[in-house]
Amino acid sequence: MTTADPEGAPGGLRERKKKRTRDALIRSALELFTTRGYEETTVDDIAEAAGVSQRTFFRYFAGKEAVAFSVHDLVEDHFLDAFEARPDGEPPLTALRRAVSVTWDTFGEAVGETVEPGLHMRMYQVIESTPALLATAMCRSAELEDRLVRDIARRAGTDPVADLRPRVLVAAFTGVMRMTGRIWGAGPDASAEALRRLTERHLDAIGPALALDGPAPEA
């Protein structure tokens, strides 16, 4: 006889308990990182705040860095899903730009199941202002770039090694994303809406900037 809700099945009791524990660790970690500081927070601090043992922490995360980027991973996956859903015939820069808009439109829904969106935005600022995390973010960005280059080259039916255009386009896109993150992190408005406005305004300037013709976009 089978049960209607087997513990190990997706959505089963065991999986729900594991998700609650993981989410509790993420929330505790991000709260500590954003109030106490990343370097000043230990794994023991996070485990204690979440009400679990250090051993339990390491069942879910390899270390502080992994939990620091956990929601960032979720948002990045959400963006990649939105990009891959764009029609193949769409110009790549348009597809990237629209995928960003879709990600922002559903940002609260994607993040809200794990943490309060405002906490994720505060953690974004911690990453931007913590050298060790910023260095990791740059390495992770390179991995994202490689994935986007391969997908854009596939859509265009070209070889990403012989044809430089996909890599140059992705470099411009991710460069703008990193630049706007730095500008936003140093600015007075830490809201998600402020970052969205800043990001979309700069993304809209990529085409004119590469062409270097026509009127300059407004600052």
Side-chain angles (χ1 to χ4, degrees):
M1 179 178 180
T2 59
T3 61
D5 186 22
E7 288 189 358
L13 177 60
R14 184 180 302 168
E15 290 303 312
R16 292 198 300 270
K17 288 174 66 176
K18 287 171 65 176
K19 184 179 187 309
R20 283 197 298 270
T21 300
R22 186 177 188 276
D23 289 352
L25 285 166
I26 293 172
R27 286 192 295 270
S28 297
L30 269 56
E31 288 284 3
L32 288 168
F33 293 155
T34 56
T35 55
R36 183 182 300 181
Y38 177 76
E39 300 292 353
E40 291 73 24
T41 301
T42 67
V43 167
D44 284 339
D45 293 333
I46 297 168
E48 181 180 359
V52 301
S53 67
Q54 183 192 82
R55 182 178 179 181
T56 297
F57 174 93
F58 284 114
R59 288 198 193 111
Y60 291 87
F61 298 102
K64 288 198 309 177
E65 186 178 280
V67 72
F69 282 97
S70 56
V71 181
H72 188 90
D73 285 341
L74 189 156
V75 174
E76 184 175 289
D77 288 344
H78 198 53
F79 162 73
L80 287 169
D81 287 344
F83 178 65
E84 290 170 1
R86 302 306 307 169
D88 281 354
E90 194 169 54
L93 184 56
T94 301
L96 289 166
R97 173 67 175 79
R98 290 178 177 169
V100 169
S101 291
V102 169
T103 303
W104 277 115
D105 288 342
T106 55
F107 168 77
E109 177 183 344
V111 172
E113 292 185 4
T114 303
V115 299
E116 192 272 320
L119 177 57
H120 168 62
M121 300 308 297
R122 295 195 298 275
M123 187 62 210
Y124 192 164
Q125 288 189 307
V126 171
I127 291 172
E128 288 291 322
S129 60
T130 304
L133 292 178
L134 189 56
T136 298
M138 296 292 285
C139 291
R140 293 160 61 90
S141 179
E143 295 173 3
L144 173 63
E145 288 177 5
D146 287 342
R147 181 167 173 179
L148 290 174
V149 167
R150 289 193 300 271
D151 199 356
I152 289 172
R154 177 193 61 78
R155 289 164 177 256
T158 190
D159 179 357
V161 176
D163 188 342
L164 299 180
R165 292 174 299 171
R167 189 163 296 280
V168 170
L169 175 61
V170 169
F173 171 76
T174 55
V176 165
M177 298 296 286
R178 287 196 297 268
M179 177 184 64
T180 55
R182 289 197 302 271
I183 295 171
W184 171 82
D189 189 346
S191 69
E193 186 56 36
L195 179 57
R196 177 175 188 164
R197 289 195 303 268
L198 187 68
T199 300
E200 293 184 338
R201 189 164 69 246
H202 280 76
L203 287 176
D204 288 341
I206 291 180
L210 293 176
L212 284 180
D213 60 10
E218 296 182 2

